[in-house]
């Protein structure tokens, strides 16, 4: 039993000497909000149903890739929607041509109150966030 314990201690100790390098040569990407150009919501929702909301965003360059949505819940049925992208930096092959991309935002109606969606479109000259606001009644 002592031999097994000694071997186990030696194995654990040997792993403590093997470590990954924590040297960070710099992050090669950053997360960015992607500007919404348009959004299509149904005229109304049915309680308990699922929908795909069409969102068109502006991809600023060829080094930015869509990651998903960041959705901020304010009040019971108010949602701020931000498409999020990963932008790779320190690359020389990025094309600065902006492209419109259409994606779907899956959404489930879990409340009986009308929903207010605020899709982020960027910041104005004063640095304030701007939104496309769309209200959808629930039947």
């Amino acid at each position: 039993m002592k031999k097994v314990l000694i071997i186990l201690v030696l194995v654990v100790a040997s792993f403590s000497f093997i470590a990954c390098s924590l040297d960070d040569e710099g992050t090669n990407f950053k997360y960015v909000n992607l500007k919404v150009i348009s959004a299509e919501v149904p005229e109304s929702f049915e309680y308990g149903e699922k929908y795909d909301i069409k969102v068109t965003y502006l991809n600023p360059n060829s080094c930015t890739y869509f990651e998903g949505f960041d959705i901020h819940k304010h009040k019971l049925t108010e949602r701020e929607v931000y498409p999020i992208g990963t932008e790779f930096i320190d690359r020389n092959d990025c094309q600065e041509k902006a492209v419109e991309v259409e994606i779907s935002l899956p959404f489930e109606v879990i409340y009986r109150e009308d929903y207010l969606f605020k899709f982020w479109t960027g910041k104005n000259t004063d640095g304030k966030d701007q939104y496309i606001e769309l209200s959808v009644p629930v039947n």
Side-chain angles (χ1 to χ4, degrees):
M1 181 71 177
K2 281 186 176 182
K3 287 182 181 182
V4 172
L5 184 57
I6 291 172
I7 292 173
L8 183 61
V9 169
L10 289 174
V11 169
V12 171
S14 68
F15 280 117
S16 67
F17 293 113
I18 301 171
C20 296
S21 171
L22 296 179
D23 294 337
D24 185 7
E25 295 178 11
T27 304
N28 64 352
F29 70 92
K30 64 180 177 179
Y31 293 109
V32 293
N33 289 342
L34 302 169
K35 295 178 181 180
V36 173
I37 303 300
S38 65
E40 293 180 30
V41 297
E43 288 185 24
S44 64
F45 286 143
E46 294 294 328
Y47 174 75
E49 294 295 317
K50 295 179 182 179
Y51 296 87
D52 284 326
I53 296 172
K54 291 182 184 177
V55 178
T56 302
Y57 70 89
L58 189 63
N59 191 351
N61 58 51
S62 65
C63 288
T64 301
Y65 300 92
F66 178 74
E67 290 294 331
F69 290 99
D70 188 12
I71 300 174
H72 297 194
K73 179 181 175 181
H74 300 283
K75 301 181 183 175
L76 186 63
T77 57
E78 182 180 315
R79 305 290 187 271
E80 287 180 5
V81 180
Y82 301 83
I84 302 297
T86 299
E87 182 178 4
F88 290 93
I89 51 180
D90 297 332
R91 285 184 48 183
N92 298 329
D93 61 340
C94 297
Q95 296 178 9
E96 293 299 320
K97 183 179 178 185
V99 177
E100 291 184 13
V101 180
E102 184 180 283
I103 52 175
S104 291
L105 167 64
F107 185 75
E108 183 175 3
V109 181
I110 60 172
Y111 298 108
R112 295 188 186 273
E113 294 182 27
D114 296 353
Y115 281 84
L116 174 62
F117 293 93
K118 299 167 102 179
F119 296 92
W120 188 79
T121 60
K123 293 184 181 280
N124 66 13
T125 55
D126 295 329
K128 291 185 74 174
D129 290 325
Q130 300 291 291
Y131 302 92
I132 296 171
E133 295 189 16
L134 300 172
S135 182
V136 183
V138 176
N139 294 326

